[in-house]
Amino acid sequence: MSVLAQHLETFSSLASSNSQVLFATLTAFILYFHLDLFELHSRLIDVPTEELLEKYDFIVVGAGSAGAVVANRLSEEKDWKVLLLEAGRDETIISDVPIMAGFLQLSYFDWKYKTEPQGQACLAMKNGRCNWPRGKVLGGSSVLNYMLYLRGNKKDYDIWESLGNPGWGYKDALHYFKKSEDNQNPYLAKTPYHSKGGFLTVSDASYQSPLLTSFIEAGKQLGYENRDLNGQFQSGFMVAQGTVRRGARCSTAKAFLRPIRLRKNLHVAMRSHVTRILIDPTTKIAFGVEFLRKGAIHRVKATKEVILSAGAINSPQILMMSGIGPKEDLEKHQIPVIQNLKVGHNLQDHVGLGGLTFLIEQEVSIQLIRLFTVQSFMKYAIGRGPLTIMGGVEGIAFVNTKYVNATEDYPDIQFHFISGSTHSDAGMQIKYAHGLTDTFYKKTFQSSLGKDAFCFLPVLLRPKSRGLIKLQSRNPSDPPLIYPNYFKDHFDMQTLIEGVKIGVALSATPAFKAYKSRFLPFPDCDHIPIHTDQYYECMIRLYSATIYHPVGTAKMGPYWDENAVVDPELRVYGIKNLRVIDASIMPTLVSANTNAPVIMIGEKGADILKAFWQERESTNASMRNALQNR
Ligand SMILES: Cc1cc2nc3c(=O)[nH]c(=O)nc-3n(C[C@H](O)[C@H](O)[C@H](O)COP(=O)(O)OP(=O)(O)OC[C@H]3O[C@@H](n4cnc5c(N)ncnc54)[C@H](O)[C@@H]3O)c2cc1C
Ligand SMILES: *[C@@H]1O[C@H](CO)[C@@H](O)[C@H](O)[C@H]1NC(C)=O
Ligand SMILES: *[C@@H]1O[C@H](CO)[C@@H](O)[C@H](O)[C@H]1NC(C)=O
């Protein structure tokens, strides 16, 4: 019963009372069938403050997609003491249920960020601000995410390398993708692109609605192959692959931390909010961190290094609060400047058109209410059924607009195929998660409530626009200011419009016409002739949907790159013993969802660290030997 009480706290932080009821039902069910027994025994130990050491070899800040990997790999060295500090708490049995992914937003698992209004995008959202959820929980955003497993295009990494980052080309990236992976699909596992035996479970969707078959078929009718989009080629259509284990979410906490929870040299401290890195202003050596836990400030020392893995919004915030960042901005907040660097710049995100909806007559789409049956609960108990659908996304496609050369296999638009739409939860959660205004929601979706539908989410893969993250104040509990600058470069808009056109064309293929699919217009764009470029632009500016992939705010680059914050070994320029290892370091956004690429960065970053410190230690050892033998 105490478990239920713990979950009641989750419910009370949810957006609507209906979703609270939904959560309560699901929890009661999971507890009734004892689906949590295994989980309870494998939970991480949250080390109390009194038991923390005064100093560790390494301190990792943030237990998200990258931080969990780094903490695991560093603590493989038995002589190294590692502390992992995480602001959030542990996952729950509810965050494991794939179809509920969107419901975790705005709960206490979420930092609940919002962008600043920019006037050119997110116009259907309250005050013109888009919600930017980020995981505040052990496992970080890999607990909030939609679990889609994608790696991006080979060229993405070769471009990183060509920008002056040796060792970051596709060949190296592939090595680390495979190092983490435990692919459950025996066919894929045998190809040169996948592997078995890693910590991270990757599986194909275990449930497929009839609409998914149509999606793959529609792709063929437009001339695209059904293939592994993480393999040799990226253009094409496929059934979603996900970080899913036995039908449940496989976060990086579950994958990389639970199996090693008994390692003596790894301490994990939750609800520990790091406020700054301790840096000696004269030597510029990072020697520890300061954090807030249960209302008190604590300090811990790092004898080797501090590693920032707090994600693309919080890592720059912590750097700036520690005196590393744009000089003028820091001075404005009376923060003593230790190193003047372009922290917070180079922000890139994947933006798409939300709510590109097609109504159909048959009862084949996902409607949340229909899923809550004893039958689907029972199926979930064995890792099957519709509750295992990754946040409603069943299929993935990468397509080429007229702006790229299709034979070069560097697609510029991605589709997320959703066998439902914004209204398929009857207004319980998605409208809140997307921050839509009541007027827009009512006007656009009210008349479709209860109707079956599917949705394509076209996403602009390589935006030219660059955004910015700035401090709001020097108070660590004030969220930073986020300026995404969506569509600031008009080419981004032009490309996404082409993406919407491909989506509309897909809906008109025989595969989807079999459902008599009908385009759902946005009444707010009624003043523009429908199905013109201007009409699609109007839709995009209203329902600009982030796909939750902010990166680039502590850019990796060579010393001659004046925008670089970290070098190709991920060391912060000008500071000793401090690295950033997370989504912030991407020089350019990869052409796919970012979780697997960030896990790859964690793996590679950890290897760089190990090689660096092992070499130092062995040099010391041989010097000691030489001295003794003298
Ligand atoms: C709603 C959503 C859906 C997504 N869907 C997908 C998807 O389907 N597929 C995909 O590939 N990617 C997806 N992503 C993106 C992907 O999950 C992220 O890119 C990735 O998790 C980022 O990893 P990270 O390590 O950089 O940061 P995070 O995973 O966010 O980790 C940062 C960690 O640091 C902690 N932290 C931050 N500040 C502090 C502090 N001051 N003190 C202590 N701890 C701190 C945070 O609480 C968090 O645990 C999604 C993201 C979201 C939010
Ligand atoms: C497209 O790329 C291929 C392969 O690089 C090349 O042979 C072809 O000329 C290109 N086509 C156009 C129109 O640029
Ligand atoms: C190597 O030896 C020096 C001098 O004794 C010491 O200061 C340093 O901490 C040692 N480094 C490692 C990695 O053990």
Side-chain angles (χ1 to χ4, degrees), residues 405-408:
N405 178 345
T407 49
E408 287 181 355

Side-chain angles (χ1 to χ4, degrees), residues 184-200:
Q184 301 299 297
N185 176 331
Y187 166 76
L188 284 182
K190 268 189 235 134
T191 70
Y193 296 94
H194 294 274
S195 66
K196 278 200 72 65
F199 282 102
L200 184 70

Side-chain angles (χ1 to χ4, degrees), residues 163-176:
L163 292 172
N165 301 298
W168 288 92
Y170 177 69
K171 189 170 55 65
D172 308 276
L174 180 60
H175 168 80
Y176 289 107

Side-chain angles (χ1 to χ4, degrees), residues 27-84:
T27 308
F29 159 78
I30 291 172
L31 293 176
Y32 182 78
F33 285 97
H34 297 296
L35 295 186
D36 58 318
L37 276 187
F38 172 74
E39 299 302 324
L40 289 177
H41 293 302
S42 64
R43 288 289 170 188
L44 269 121
I45 301 152
D46 186 11
V47 178
T49 311
E50 315 79 73
E51 285 172 32
L52 294 180
L53 308 177
E54 210 175 294
K55 56 186 183 194
Y56 292 83
D57 292 281
F58 296 95
I59 301 176
V60 182
V61 179
S65 295
V69 178
V70 174
N72 176 320
R73 297 303 183 188
L74 288 179
S75 60
E76 282 175 345
E77 300 299 316
K78 293 194 180 58
D79 296 336
W80 290 349
K81 292 195 172 63
V82 179
L83 172 63
L84 177 59

Side-chain angles (χ1 to χ4, degrees), residues 275 321 333-336 471-478:
T275 50
M321 286 186 311
H333 297 294
Q334 284 92 46
I335 299 170
L471 285 185
Q472 179 173 172
S473 79
R474 56 182 296 177
N475 181 348
S477 54
D478 280 345

